[in-house]
Amino acid sequence: MNKQRLLNNLVEMLEIHSPSKKEGEYAKYLVNLFKEMGALIYLDKGYLEYGGDSPSIIAKFPGNIEGDGVTLAAHMDVVEPNSNAKAIIDGNIIKTDGTTTLGGDDKGGIAAIIETIRTIKEENIPHKDIYVVLTPCEEIGMLGAKHFNWEEIPKDMFPAKNMIVVDNAGKSGLIAHSAPSKYDIEICFQGKKAHAGIEPEKGINAIAVASYALSHMNIGRIDDLTTSNISKINSEFPSNVVPDVCTINGEIRSHSEDRILEIIELYKKACDESVTKLGGSYKLNYQCDYPVLKPNDNLIFAKQFAEVYEELNIPSELKVIGGGSDSNIFAKQGFNSIIIGVGMNNVHTVEEYLEIDELLKTTEALVKYIKKG
């Protein structure tokens, strides 16, 4: 590896503003760089469906060894405030002046991928096909991954099924292999308006109906692999009007979609009890935001990468995580993903920083994995 080249590339990328739906300039930078590195390029235009300005990028670096190869994946968008971010290298840390996010999530991952491929090519290391998949809008609901037009990708450009997503917070050595599905829920309670001061008994307070239902719902940590959260309650009426509408929004996550549906049925039961006791009605809507991520090879791929870390004297840890990422969406297409740490800390805040030695370890592990074929 060339440490200084990696850092120069990372700093240059960190100073290209690429918030969600506005990654276009950064995507052009990456496409030009990959072409200079000898990649074949395919650009997916799913962004036209949700109003973004950047394609998802597939870059293929053809190998000289037969086999399925590997896919390295990351996302191009960063969390605001990030405009005019200036990267500061302070010893082993890359940070900003504290007024913006750094964007190491996930430009640190992209820098590791770029340096990995440069190293492989410079050292003339024999390798199978290497695919790079970079998406926009991961931070606002994985829109790039969700709108990938997979059926339009030419057969010779379709990425390898084993996918390493370089987008995990924390140190190198962390290998996430499973993540939950998330369902969004909305419950609208319908009551009856009345004058709150003159004849409140003629009304049905929708907030009260919602409150009773909520008090009988299991919210928070439900079991080891299931969580629920109510994040919004909306009902805006003058104080002299009994409110007739109250809407609540939230989510349920679990590593079992059947378990999520069980929780939804329990929520319906709580709502039924509430309207039976207090009157009114309700309508509960739900939809799957993303599916479960789980290994489809009995952890063989994850354990192979753990062995690479151990050979480099980097302690490894296989993890089940509670958040979602592009990996959950790619799982629908049959990709077998692991998500590895790259040294990010305090992500999504202006205190974000990246540990350089962890970034280097991640890059070294990627090179070694590809060397092993």
Side-chain angles (χ1 to χ4, degrees):
M1 291 185 302
N2 184 324
K3 175 182 176 180
Q4 192 58 53
R5 179 177 61 191
L6 186 157
L7 292 178
N8 290 344
N9 174 230
L10 174 57
V11 169
E12 185 174 47
M13 293 192 296
L14 290 172
E15 296 183 356
I16 301 174
H17 192 213
S18 60
S20 303
K21 291 192 175 183
K22 295 182 179 179
E23 307 93 339
E25 179 186 356
Y26 185 38
K28 290 177 183 176
Y29 167 93
L30 290 167
V31 168
N32 289 335
L33 179 59
F34 287 144
K35 285 181 177 178
E36 290 174 4
M37 293 167 61
L40 304 174
I41 301 292
Y42 176 81
L43 302 178
D44 178 84
K45 297 183 179 180
Y47 68 95
L48 298 175
E49 300 175 32
Y50 59 83
D53 72 351
S54 169
S56 289
I57 300 170
I58 298 176
K60 178 181 179 180
F61 295 87
N64 46 22
I65 298 176
E66 290 188 4
D68 295 332
V70 67
T71 298
L72 309 178
H75 65 85
M76 297 181 284
D77 57 324
V78 298
V79 170
E80 295 280 38
N82 186 255
S83 181
N84 298 314
K86 298 296 180 184
I88 299 169
I89 297 178
D90 182 8
N92 184 48
I93 298 299
I94 302 179
K95 61 181 181 178
T96 69
D97 61 4
T99 62
T100 70
T101 60
L102 177 66
D105 177 12
D106 189 24
K107 290 175 180 175
I110 294 175
I113 290 170
I114 290 170
E115 184 58 31
T116 293
I117 295 168
R118 281 174 161 163
T119 301
I120 293 292
K121 293 177 73 67
E122 284 184 354
E123 295 184 7
N124 294 315
I125 296 170
H127 63 87
K128 299 173 185 176
D129 291 340
I130 303 170
Y131 296 84
V132 178
V133 174
L134 303 179
T135 59
C137 291
E138 189 267 357
E139 299 287 8
I140 57 171
M142 292 86 81
L143 295 183
K146 286 178 178 177
H147 290 84
F148 234 118
N149 298 303
W150 297 104
E151 66 282 356
E152 296 182 8
I153 301 173
K155 185 177 180 180
D156 64 339
M157 288 295 293
F158 204 95
K161 291 299 185 180
N162 275 352
M163 174 182 282
I164 303 170
V165 181
V166 195
D167 184 28
N168 206 356
K171 296 183 178 296
S172 60
L174 298 177
I175 304 171
H177 56 79
S178 298
S181 171
K182 179 169 83 76
Y183 275 56
D184 295 322
I185 59 172
E186 179 180 86
I187 311 175
C188 183
F189 293 90
Q190 186 71 49
K192 183 180 179 182
K193 283 183 181 178
H195 194 292
I198 298 174
E199 47 186 10
E201 61 277 351
K202 291 186 177 181
I204 299 174
N205 190 310
I207 296 176
V209 180
S211 298
Y212 183 94
L214 283 171
S215 69
H216 290 78
M217 293 178 180
N218 192 353
I219 298 170
R221 171 67 64 184
I222 295 175
D223 58 46
D224 287 347
L225 298 177
T226 308
T227 62
S228 172
N229 186 49
I230 299 300
S231 59
K232 185 186 297 183
I233 301 177
N234 185 55
S235 185
E236 297 185 21
F237 290 84
S239 63
N240 63 350
V241 176
V242 175
D244 67 339
V245 177
C246 180
T247 301
I248 66 174
N249 296 86
E251 65 166 47
I252 305 171
R253 300 185 190 217
S254 181
H255 291 260
S256 165
E257 293 194 36
D258 287 341
R259 180 64 170 144
I260 292 176
L261 296 176
E262 288 177 8
I263 300 301
I264 289 173
E265 289 303 313
L266 291 174
Y267 286 1
K268 287 180 180 178
K269 181 179 178 180
C271 294
D272 288 337
E273 292 175 355
S274 183
V275 300
T276 298
K277 182 177 179 65
L278 300 177
S281 61
Y282 75 93
K283 185 175 183 180
L284 188 154
N285 295 312
Y286 62 90
Q287 65 176 5
C288 179
D289 188 26
Y290 49 79
V292 168
L293 169 67
K294 57 185 177 181
N296 56 27
D297 65 349
N298 198 30
L299 288 176
I300 292 173
F301 181 36
K303 290 177 179 178
Q304 286 175 342
F305 207 84
E307 289 177 3
V308 169
Y309 279 131
E310 297 295 338
E311 289 171 7
L312 293 170
N313 296 316
I314 300 170
S316 64
E317 180 183 359
L318 301 183
K319 291 193 67 175
V320 174
I321 59 176
S325 70
D326 282 347
S327 299
N328 293 68
I329 308 303
F330 293 147
K332 272 187 175 180
Q333 301 300 320
F335 288 96
N336 186 40
S337 298
I338 57 173
I339 312 167
I340 63 173
V342 72
M344 310 174 199
N345 294 275
N346 297 340
V347 296
H348 297 185
T349 75
V350 295
E351 288 80 35
E352 179 187 5
Y353 68 92
L354 189 67
E355 296 177 77
I356 295 172
D357 59 352
E358 299 302 322
L359 175 62
L360 293 172
K361 290 175 184 177
T362 297
T363 308
E364 188 178 5
L366 289 170
V367 172
K368 188 171 183 64
Y369 175 80
I370 293 171
K371 276 185 178 182
K372 293 182 73 171

